[in-house]
Every structure is written in structure tokens, then in C-alpha cells.
């Protein structure tokens, strides 16, 4: 009850050093905490919590302290017994995990792309907040939706995606047409792979999907423009060509063979052959 320290085991020696009979309150970074622990026990209660203490090298450790009163045959508190567990590495790991989760959460919540997970039945189990901008579904609305039935505009594209996934374990830049909540169609490019549970069993699919609708529109517009240019070239009485000096290649637009009276495909695009011809 006077606070004299009369026993410590070898683990205590290794962690805090030998402190003799002096009260161990000096080991606490905040000595008031040590006094609070002592007073709590002397009042007959126990004390369990995390404290910061100095080790024998005066480095600060995170300690899980468990302290209980010692009673005599008359049930009077005559001292206390305590157990100290060094949880410094655990606390550092927790801090690192929290920092990592914070960074991951920031990426997930701010990316314009859609991050998702589905179970083995194809039901959505996780979705990033960007889902609303891309699909019109809130996260709560999307959880539980079946990809094949409610997301893919064409079931055969979903099947093609699954076939590629099963064959390779992952897919990259898989392009498919998806449905928004309002029924409109958008083009998506997806990178995905199987993920496993703690036992190593495949638990579902996770991936990231990007809206490529504008890209597909641009590709379609370019293709239409090229087709119109080719038609115009065929109908024109002029010879239209393009020369790539790096590759030393000629690219003709229009029916140059027929125009010059040759069999279709007989005129080579090689520049030297063309000059030899003329």
C-alpha cells in the first residue's frame, strides 16, 4: 500500500530494467497516470488500459497495462499486481494500416473510374461512389444487382468477358456496352481479375471500369469520315494518294488500278515500284 515495488519477473527486467523498491511511477511518461492506476487499485477496483512508459533505454513504448488489487484474508487491499505487454509494434502497424486505408479511401472516393467487386454469382458487393456519375446508380442501389441481367446491355458480351477471365485469370481493356439506370447505353473498358478469400479460394471478381463512350464516338466518326473519303475517291476522276516518307509507302484512295487500266491489286504501294511503272 505504500507503493514499494517488491517483485518483477525477468521479462520486466529486460523491458524496464531493475528498479528496486522505488515506486514504478517514474516509468510512466505521464506520472499522473501512474498515480491514477495506483489510487484506483487501492480503492479496490481494477485498471486495464493503454499507457505510455519509458523502457530501460528511456525510449517511449506503448504498453497494455492490466492491474488488479491484492487482498488479505480480511478482504483488505494490501497491494497490487500488474502485467505489462509491449504493444508498440502493434500500434505502429495499426497506424500504418490506418494511413494506408486513408490513402486507399481517398483514391476510391475521388477516382472518376468505377471500382467494383462481385461475388461468384455476379452480384455486386462493392462499388465506388463514381458509380452514380457513370451509371446513374447510387452505391446502395447497385449493391446486389446482377451484372449479367441488369448491367450488360448484351449478354453475349458478359459471357465473352467471363470466358476470357476464366481462361487467363484476368482481363485488360475489355470493351463492352453497359446499361445506365435510365436504360441508356455507354461504352466501358474494364481491367479485372479474380480475388480470393483468406483460404485462397476464388471469392469473386474485382476490377476497374472506365467510360470510353467519347472515344468510341470519335472512332466511329473517324471511320465514317474515312469511308466517305474512300467513296469520294472512287467517284473522283483524280488520283488521290498519300506518301509516308518514313516508310517509303504510297497509300491510294480510289480505284487506282482500274483508273490506270491494270488488274485490281496489281499496283504495289512501294514507291520504287510505282516509279518503275511510270
Amino acid at each position: 500500500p505504500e507503493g514499494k515495488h517488491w517483485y518483477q519477473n525477468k521479462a520486466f527486467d529486460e523491458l524496464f530494467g531493475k528498479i528496486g523498491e522505488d515506486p514504478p511511477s517514474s516509468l510512466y511518461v505521464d506520472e499522473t497516470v501512474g498515480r491514477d492506476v495506483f489510487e484506483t487499485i487501492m480503492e479496490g477496483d481494477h485498471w486495464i488500459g493503454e499507457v505510455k512508459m519509458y523502457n530501460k533505454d528511456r525510449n517511449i513504448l506503448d504498453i497494455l497495462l492490466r492491474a488488479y488489487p491484492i487482498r488479505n484474508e480480511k478482504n483488505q487491499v494490501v497491494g497490487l499486481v500488474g502485467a505489462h505487454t509491449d504493444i508498440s509494434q502493434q500500434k505502429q502497424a495499426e497506424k500504418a494500416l490506418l494511413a494506408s486505408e486513408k490513402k486507399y479511401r481517398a483514391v476510391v472516393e475521388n477516382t472518376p473510374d468505377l471500382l467494383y467487386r462481385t461475388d461468384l454469382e455476379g452480384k455486386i458487393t462493392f462499388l465506388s461512389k463514381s458509380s452514380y456519375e457513370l451509371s446513374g446508380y447510387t452505391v446502395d442501389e447497385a449493391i446486389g444487382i446482377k451484372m449479367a441481367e441488369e448491367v450488360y446491355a448484351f449478354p453475349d458480351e458478359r459471357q465473352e468477358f467471363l470466358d476470357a477471365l476464366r481462361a487467363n485469370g484476368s482481363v485488360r481493356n475489355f470493351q463492352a456496352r453497359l446499361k445506365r439506370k435510365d436504360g441508356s447505353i455507354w461504352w466501358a473498358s474494364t481491367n479485372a481479375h479474380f480475388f480470393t478469400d483468406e483460404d485462397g479460394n476464388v471469392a469473386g471478381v474485382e476490377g476497374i471500369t472506365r467510360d470510353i463512350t467519347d472515344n468510341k464516338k470519335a472512332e466511329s466518326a473517324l471511320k465514317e469520315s474515312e469511308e466517305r473519303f474512300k467513296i469520294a475517291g472512287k467517284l473522283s476522276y483524280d488520283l488521290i494518294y498519300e506518301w509516308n516518307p518514313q516508310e517509303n509507302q504510297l497509300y491510294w484512295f480510289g480505284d487506282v488500278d482500274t483508273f490506270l487500266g491494270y488488274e485490281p491489286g496489281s499496283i504495289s504501294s512501294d514507291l520504287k515500284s510505282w516509279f518503275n511503272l511510270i
Side-chain angles (χ1 to χ4, degrees):
E2 292 78 25
K4 290 184 178 180
H5 183 223
W6 61 270
Y7 171 78
Q8 64 187 52
N9 64 4
K10 290 182 179 180
F12 193 100
D13 293 344
E14 294 173 357
L15 196 59
F16 299 108
K18 293 183 178 296
I19 62 174
E21 292 186 351
D22 295 331
S25 59
S26 61
L27 296 176
Y28 292 85
V29 174
D30 184 353
E31 291 191 19
T32 60
V33 174
R35 290 194 292 270
D36 289 342
V37 172
F38 183 79
E39 292 174 1
T40 299
I41 302 302
M42 290 302 102
E43 291 174 0
D45 201 356
H46 68 280
W47 200 98
I48 300 176
E50 295 180 9
V51 297
K52 290 187 179 295
M53 302 180 72
Y54 293 109
N55 68 1
K56 59 185 179 182
D57 299 319
R58 300 302 287 177
N59 295 319
I60 297 176
L61 302 178
D62 289 296
I63 299 293
L64 174 61
L65 172 62
R66 298 178 292 274
Y68 302 88
I70 300 174
R71 299 177 184 273
N72 61 14
E73 64 276 5
K74 296 180 181 180
N75 204 35
Q76 297 171 325
V77 178
V78 295
L80 67 84
V81 59
H84 301 72
T85 304
D86 183 4
I87 58 172
S88 301
Q89 291 186 347
Q90 176 185 331
K91 297 294 288 186
Q92 291 174 0
E94 289 175 356
K95 289 180 181 178
L97 179 61
L98 287 174
S100 176
E101 288 179 346
K102 185 177 181 181
K103 291 179 181 179
Y104 177 75
R105 190 178 301 112
V107 170
V108 170
E109 293 181 353
N110 293 291
T111 179
D113 297 333
L114 189 153
L115 284 73
Y116 75 94
R117 268 191 173 190
T118 67
D119 61 17
L120 291 177
E121 295 180 357
K123 292 181 181 178
I124 297 173
T125 59
F126 167 80
L127 207 62
S128 59
K129 290 183 178 180
S130 54
S131 65
Y132 183 76
E133 292 293 329
L134 293 177
S135 67
Y137 288 101
T138 64
V139 173
D140 291 339
E141 290 173 334
I143 298 298
I145 285 179
K146 281 194 173 183
M147 297 284 285
E149 297 175 3
E150 301 181 61
V151 176
Y152 275 77
F154 299 93
D156 57 330
E157 292 181 349
R158 170 67 175 174
Q159 189 58 50
E160 184 182 347
F161 169 80
L162 292 176
D163 291 343
L165 198 58
R166 294 189 185 103
N168 305 306
S170 64
V171 294
R172 292 188 61 82
N173 193 31
F174 183 85
Q175 298 182 9
R177 288 159 288 185
L178 307 183
K179 292 186 293 185
R180 294 189 178 91
K181 182 180 178 180
D182 61 8
S184 59
I185 306 297
W186 61 290
W187 275 95
S189 174
T190 298
N191 294 344
H193 61 267
F194 288 118
F195 70 91
T196 58
D197 59 20
E198 295 179 354
D199 298 323
N201 300 315
V202 174
V205 177
E206 64 182 3
I208 181 169
T209 295
R210 173 167 295 179
D211 184 359
I212 59 169
T213 304
D214 290 341
N215 292 359
K216 299 298 287 188
K217 288 180 178 179
E219 289 176 6
S220 178
L222 178 60
K223 186 176 180 180
E224 290 178 4
S225 176
E226 290 178 346
E227 288 297 325
R228 288 195 296 268
F229 188 72
K230 288 179 180 179
I231 293 172
K234 288 182 179 181
L235 298 176
S236 173
Y237 288 100
D238 299 321
L239 286 178
I240 304 172
Y241 69 93
E242 179 182 313
W243 174 41
N244 184 330
Q246 283 75 29
E247 298 178 359
N248 196 30
Q249 294 287 312
L250 283 172
Y251 301 95
W252 295 99
F253 301 92
D255 192 358
V256 63
D257 304 272
T258 304
F259 185 89
L260 296 177
Y262 291 89
E263 292 295 323
S266 60
I267 297 181
S268 170
S269 62
D270 181 72
L271 188 62
K272 290 182 180 179
S273 298
W274 166 246
F275 280 120
N276 289 335
L277 186 65
I278 61 175

